[in-house]
Structures are given as C-alpha cells and as structure tokens.
Amino acid sequence: MRKTIMSGLAAAALATGAAQAQISEFRLGVVAHDLARNIEDGVQISGQIVFDSPDFLAPVWSPRPYLYGSFNSAGNTNLGSAGFLWTGNFSERWSVDGGFGVAYHDGVRDVSQLPPSDPDRIRLANSRALLGSRFLFHTQLGLDYAVTPSVAVGVYYEHFSNGQILGQGRNQGLDEIGARISWRFGR
C-alpha cells in the first residue's frame, strides 16, 4: 500500500509540475468493489484530481488529464491511475464523461506459481481477484448533475483489466460502480 501511495504522489507531482496544469475538479467517491465476480470484500474510497485540458490536446477533443486513487476498506486491492477524461454537457446541469488510463495496483496477480494444495493458493484464489499484471487499463464512464456551478453529484462505472496486453495469463479484472461528489474550480 505504501508503494501505491508513494507512486501516486510521485505521479501527481510529476504531472502537476510538468504540465503546470490547473486543477479543474476534485472528486470524492464511494465505490462498490468487484461487482462482476464479487470475490473481494470491502468498498473502495476513491479520489480523483482532474486538470484543465492543455492546449496541445485540442486536436483530440480536449481531454482533461486525471490522477485517481482507490483504497479498499477491507485491505484488498488498492489502485492508482492516470489518464484522460472526455467530458460533454448535454444540458446546463447534466454532463457525461468517459475516460481511459493506465492503473497500478497492489493486489494479487496470479497464484499459479504456488503448488495446487498450498493453503495460500486456495485462500487467494477464493478471496482475491487475480489480475495478471501489476499494470492495468482503467476505463470509466460517468454521469454528473451540477447542484451548483461549483458542486456536482454523480454516478460512475469503471473497469480495470490488463486486456491480455499488459500481462499474460490471468485477467479477471475488476468492475466497479460508485457515487461521487465533485468540487469544480472555474469549469
């Protein structure tokens, strides 16, 4: 967990310093964890910092860079990611966003290296998602309602998976759905 937090802080410092980007939004959420298989216990507490889109991203519809962290309440898989969000408003108060990024996790990759009768192999195979790779793709889709110009509430779905590209073998992935509150700064 310490590695995940330190990696996230380093990525945040690098992204902020390199791009000298303004923060456009901060999101705090509660996420139902591992919905597809329901093998990992706990809920996730998530935080996301969304930056203004830099000018050089205008040719690809001005996505906003983000940093994301998700921490499990039962000590299972924690995740950190960085990527891009594309946001569209379809009314004065309603917006939808979709995102794509790369995540790093501290969960279980695989148990095939352990003997079949090993108690740890059996316990992990029955209680943890086997993600196959330390790095995963992170996709997300969200719907938000602006309560005020600076506060929004929303729901979102996210999926973490190696896609058999970032890892070989296991790829159980994680599907999650959550609710969030967002504080918007000058958007």
Side-chain angles (χ1 to χ4, degrees), residues 5 8 11 28 51-52 56 102 106 121 134 156-157 171 176:
I5 292 170
L28 183 64
F51 299 93
D52 289 338
F56 72 88
V102 175
D106 65 357
R121 178 182 177 143
R134 261 309 146 223
Y156 65 104
Y157 164 82
N171 183 27
E176 303 182 338

Side-chain angles (χ1 to χ4, degrees), residues 157-171:
Y157 164 82
E158 60 188 353
H159 177 72
F160 295 91
S161 170
N162 70 38
Q164 294 296 350
I165 297 169
L166 298 177
Q168 301 299 319
R170 298 287 185 167
N171 183 27

Side-chain angles (χ1 to χ4, degrees), residues 111 114-127:
V111 293
L114 299 172
S117 62
D118 186 307
D120 282 338
R121 178 182 177 143
I122 295 165
R123 178 184 56 79
L124 290 171
N126 290 317
S127 65

Side-chain angles (χ1 to χ4, degrees), residues 6-37:
M6 294 307 291
S7 296
L9 290 175
L14 179 63
T16 304
Q20 295 182 349
Q22 290 279 101
I23 294 175
S24 67
E25 198 168 342
F26 175 75
R27 298 169 169 179
L28 183 64
V30 177
V31 186
H33 179 65
D34 193 18
L35 292 176
R37 296 180 51 245

Side-chain angles (χ1 to χ4, degrees), residues 134-153:
R134 261 309 146 223
F135 290 93
L136 306 171
F137 293 113
H138 177 210
T139 55
Q140 57 185 311
L141 181 63
L143 176 67
D144 292 296
Y145 177 78
V147 178
T148 71
S150 59
V151 175
V153 293

Side-chain angles (χ1 to χ4, degrees), residues 18-138:
Q20 295 182 349
Q22 290 279 101
I23 294 175
S24 67
E25 198 168 342
F26 175 75
R27 298 169 169 179
L28 183 64
V30 177
V31 186
H33 179 65
D34 193 18
L35 292 176
R37 296 180 51 245
N38 199 26
I39 196 168
E40 287 201 0
D41 292 332
V43 297
Q44 300 288 109
I45 304 301
S46 70
Q48 186 173 39
I49 300 170
V50 183
F51 299 93
D52 289 338
S53 182
D55 292 339
F56 72 88
L57 291 176
V60 289
W61 305 284
S62 301
R64 297 182 297 154
Y66 74 82
L67 294 172
Y68 177 86
S70 180
F71 305 96
N72 188 272
S73 65
N76 289 318
T77 304
N78 300 296
L79 302 133
S81 71
F84 297 99
L85 283 173
W86 287 264
T87 303
N89 296 325
F90 56 91
S91 79
E92 188 175 302
R93 293 189 180 258
W94 289 98
S95 63
V96 63
D97 63 37
F100 181 78
V102 175
Y104 179 85
H105 72 91
D106 65 357
V108 178
R109 289 182 287 175
D110 200 353
V111 293
S112 62
Q113 72 280 8
L114 299 172
S117 62
D118 186 307
D120 282 338
R121 178 182 177 143
I122 295 165
R123 178 184 56 79
L124 290 171
N126 290 317
S127 65
R128 301 295 297 273
L130 306 177
L131 300 171
S133 171
R134 261 309 146 223
F135 290 93
L136 306 171
F137 293 113
H138 177 210

